[in-house]
């Protein structure tokens, strides 16, 4: 989780892999700023039907009284 808002690719040219890392770092920074004790992941899987993406967001707004919650979004493109 980045400790400050990433702006590497705002002011410099980035390779495709650097831009992907930059986008994920920005997303995780914003998640952490807006949801308590949050994190997220994106998993890509190639299948015969197409490319599957699973986006998972974890957060805990119970102040420790319940397990972390998660929201899972799946899509095939």
């Amino acid at each position: 989780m980045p400790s400050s808002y990433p702006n590497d690719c705002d002011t410099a040219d980035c390779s495709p892999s650097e831009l992907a890392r930059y986008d994920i770092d920005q997303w995780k920074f914003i998640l952490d700023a807006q949801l308590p004790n949050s994190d997220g992941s994106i998993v890509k899987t190639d299948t015969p039907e197409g490319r599957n993406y699973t986006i998972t967001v974890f957060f805990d707004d119970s102040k420790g009284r319940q397990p972390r919650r998660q929201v899972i979004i799946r899509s095939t493109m």
Side-chain angles (χ1 to χ4, degrees), residues 19-50:
L19 184 58
R21 180 79 253 157
Y22 165 75
D23 288 342
I24 291 169
D25 285 348
Q26 278 189 323
W27 177 61
K28 287 187 170 209
F29 180 84
I30 291 168
L31 273 179
D32 189 51
Q34 295 183 354
L35 292 171
N37 190 24
S38 62
D39 198 2
S41 67
I42 301 170
V43 176
K44 174 190 71 124
T45 308
D46 290 321
T47 68
E49 294 80 27

Side-chain angles (χ1 to χ4, degrees), residues 6-74:
N7 63 3
D8 304 5
C9 292
D10 285 344
T11 58
D13 291 332
C14 290
S15 69
S17 63
E18 290 169 331
L19 184 58
R21 180 79 253 157
Y22 165 75
D23 288 342
I24 291 169
D25 285 348
Q26 278 189 323
W27 177 61
K28 287 187 170 209
F29 180 84
I30 291 168
L31 273 179
D32 189 51
Q34 295 183 354
L35 292 171
N37 190 24
S38 62
D39 198 2
S41 67
I42 301 170
V43 176
K44 174 190 71 124
T45 308
D46 290 321
T47 68
E49 294 80 27
R51 187 170 282 171
N52 289 333
Y53 292 92
T54 303
I55 301 168
T56 306
V57 175
F58 301 93
F59 64 97
D60 182 1
D61 62 351
S62 72
K63 297 184 173 55
R65 292 187 298 266
Q66 296 177 7
R68 274 172 87 172
R69 299 172 192 226
Q70 67 180 6
V71 176
I72 300 173
I73 301 168
R74 291 188 178 94

